[in-house]
Amino acid sequence: MSEQAVAFDSATYRQTMGNFATGVVVVTGLVADQPIGFAAQSFVSLSLDPPLVAFSPAKSSSSWPKIRESGHFGINILGEDQRDVCVGMAQSGADKFANVQWQSGLTGAPKLQGVLAFIECSIEDEHDAGDHTIVVGRVQDCTRADSDSAPLLYFRSAYGSFV
Ligand SMILES: Cc1cc2nc3c(=O)[nH]c(=O)nc-3n(C[C@H](O)[C@H](O)[C@H](O)COP(=O)(O)O)c2cc1C
């Protein structure tokens, strides 16, 4: 596919895709008792029966290979007041949990304090997809959580909220 000529450049592609507004999650895992996580907007609910969700980690992600080892992951849906959490979780190599309160869920995956909802999954499958992979998770537990806040949204490279 990448060898075919296309009529647009990479910047145009990014800017075009940025018109799709999404919520933001933090994908978490517990590895050797250490919390691991990264921000993602590629989360999607896939199937009700069985309950399946998916998200797409970049192949360059340093966190996902560690989380994968644990066999489970958590999806933390962020509220509009958690922009700083998102920014921190989007910085590769940082001490991402230094200022974040969390507790382990059923599978061990970290649930961040103050999230709108928390979904815990076992890893069902992973599919190759260009410079990303598509991870399918089977939901093991889910809770509407601590906050009634509006969701944190991402649109055209900027954060916003639902009015
Ligand atoms: C709003 C937002 C959405 C993001 N969505 C994704 C995503 O869906 N998949 C992904 O791999 N990275 C996504 N990222 C980028 C990662 O959070 C970022 O590359 C992070 O540094 C990866 O950290 P790691 O190296 O610890 O895995 C997103 C970043 C932001 C700010």
Side-chain angles (χ1 to χ4, degrees), residues 66-88:
K66 298 177 198 161
I67 298 172
R68 183 201 284 126
E69 271 178 43
S70 74
H72 295 92
F73 62 87
I75 296 289
N76 292 266
I77 300 180
L78 299 184
E80 64 177 347
D81 53 346
Q82 293 184 301
R83 187 180 300 207
D84 290 350
V85 175
C86 180
V87 170

Side-chain angles (χ1 to χ4, degrees), residues 47-160:
S47 164
L48 279 176
D49 185 16
L52 301 174
V53 301
F55 71 95
S56 301
K59 287 181 181 169
S60 60
S61 167
S62 58
S63 294
W64 173 243
K66 298 177 198 161
I67 298 172
R68 183 201 284 126
E69 271 178 43
S70 74
H72 295 92
F73 62 87
I75 296 289
N76 292 266
I77 300 180
L78 299 184
E80 64 177 347
D81 53 346
Q82 293 184 301
R83 187 180 300 207
D84 290 350
V85 175
C86 180
V87 170
M89 292 289 172
Q91 284 171 11
S92 198
D95 182 5
K96 299 184 183 185
F97 285 80
N99 298 310
V100 177
Q101 300 295 313
W102 61 277
Q103 61 185 49
S104 277
L106 188 73
T107 66
K111 174 189 166 191
L112 310 187
Q113 192 174 59
V115 294
L116 298 190
F118 181 58
I119 301 148
E120 283 184 89
C121 302
S122 54
I123 299 172
E124 180 89 355
D125 217 339
E126 189 168 356
H127 305 275
D128 192 64
D131 56 9
H132 284 60
T133 65
I134 302 169
V135 177
V136 178
R138 182 177 284 247
V139 178
Q140 303 295 331
D141 198 13
C142 59
T143 47
R144 289 182 61 205
D146 315 327
S147 172
D148 282 334
S149 144
L152 181 63
L153 302 180
Y154 198 67
F155 176 63
R156 293 185 180 164
S157 303
Y159 296 99

